[in-house]
Amino acid sequence: MKPDVSRARSRGAARAVLVDRDRGAGESIAENLRRAGVAERAVLVRRDALAALRDLAAAGERFDLAIVDAPYADAALRDAILARLGAPDGPLAADATVVVTAHWRDLPPDAIGLLRSTRVRRFGETAITFYRRDAGAVAAAG
């Protein structure tokens, strides 16, 4: 998950949490955060996304927005991240939005856990799928 921190900040985000296990990508992200002047409002977690999501949820973190940009060749990882985000005890706030990038020929599922696809946009080879967390399903399950 690698949100565009400067864009998130310009739209009112108090902070951003970025997760990437790749050391080189982490260094690049940290440098970009410094250059954009938002490093103090961002947390870079350098570890496996699924473990990071589990620990963030266990710590009580709840996010209004998650951007999932897993490698296109690893649809299983993308779907596992979506399942974790869509879990009733996942790290998303009620009515959260999730944005997922994928190759247009390998789209993520329409629904996964409490996440429901609301639209898909295609830009060249990339498809962007938007999800909303179904707060009604949370209430019904509780």
Side-chain angles (χ1 to χ4, degrees), residues 76-128:
L77 174 62
R78 176 201 66 208
D79 292 350
I81 291 169
L82 285 172
R84 185 69 220 135
L85 290 170
D89 62 346
L92 294 180
D95 293 324
T97 298
V98 177
V99 181
V100 182
T101 60
H103 189 277
W104 71 273
R105 291 181 191 236
D106 191 16
L107 296 176
D110 289 336
I112 189 161
L114 300 174
L115 298 176
R116 305 292 178 263
S117 174
T118 59
R119 68 182 165 165
V120 177
R121 301 283 311 267
R122 183 172 165 195
F123 301 93
E125 297 291 308
T126 298
I128 300 175

Side-chain angles (χ1 to χ4, degrees), residues 40-57:
E40 70 283 351
R41 293 179 238 149
V43 175
L44 175 58
V45 178
R46 293 181 183 178
R47 62 186 300 208
D48 173 77
L50 293 171
L53 289 171
R54 181 194 64 232
D55 293 349
L56 289 164

Side-chain angles (χ1 to χ4, degrees), residues 11-93:
R11 293 193 168 106
R15 70 184 184 107
V17 176
L18 298 93
V19 178
D20 202 311
R21 70 178 177 202
D22 182 84
R23 182 180 175 157
E27 290 171 1
S28 240
I29 292 166
E31 178 60 25
N32 288 338
L33 291 170
R34 279 190 293 280
R35 286 183 181 184
V38 296
E40 70 283 351
R41 293 179 238 149
V43 175
L44 175 58
V45 178
R46 293 181 183 178
R47 62 186 300 208
D48 173 77
L50 293 171
L53 289 171
R54 181 194 64 232
D55 293 349
L56 289 164
E61 292 280 1
R62 296 297 176 264
F63 300 99
D64 297 316
L65 173 66
I67 300 172
V68 179
D69 188 20
Y72 288 2
D74 199 346
L77 174 62
R78 176 201 66 208
D79 292 350
I81 291 169
L82 285 172
R84 185 69 220 135
L85 290 170
D89 62 346
L92 294 180

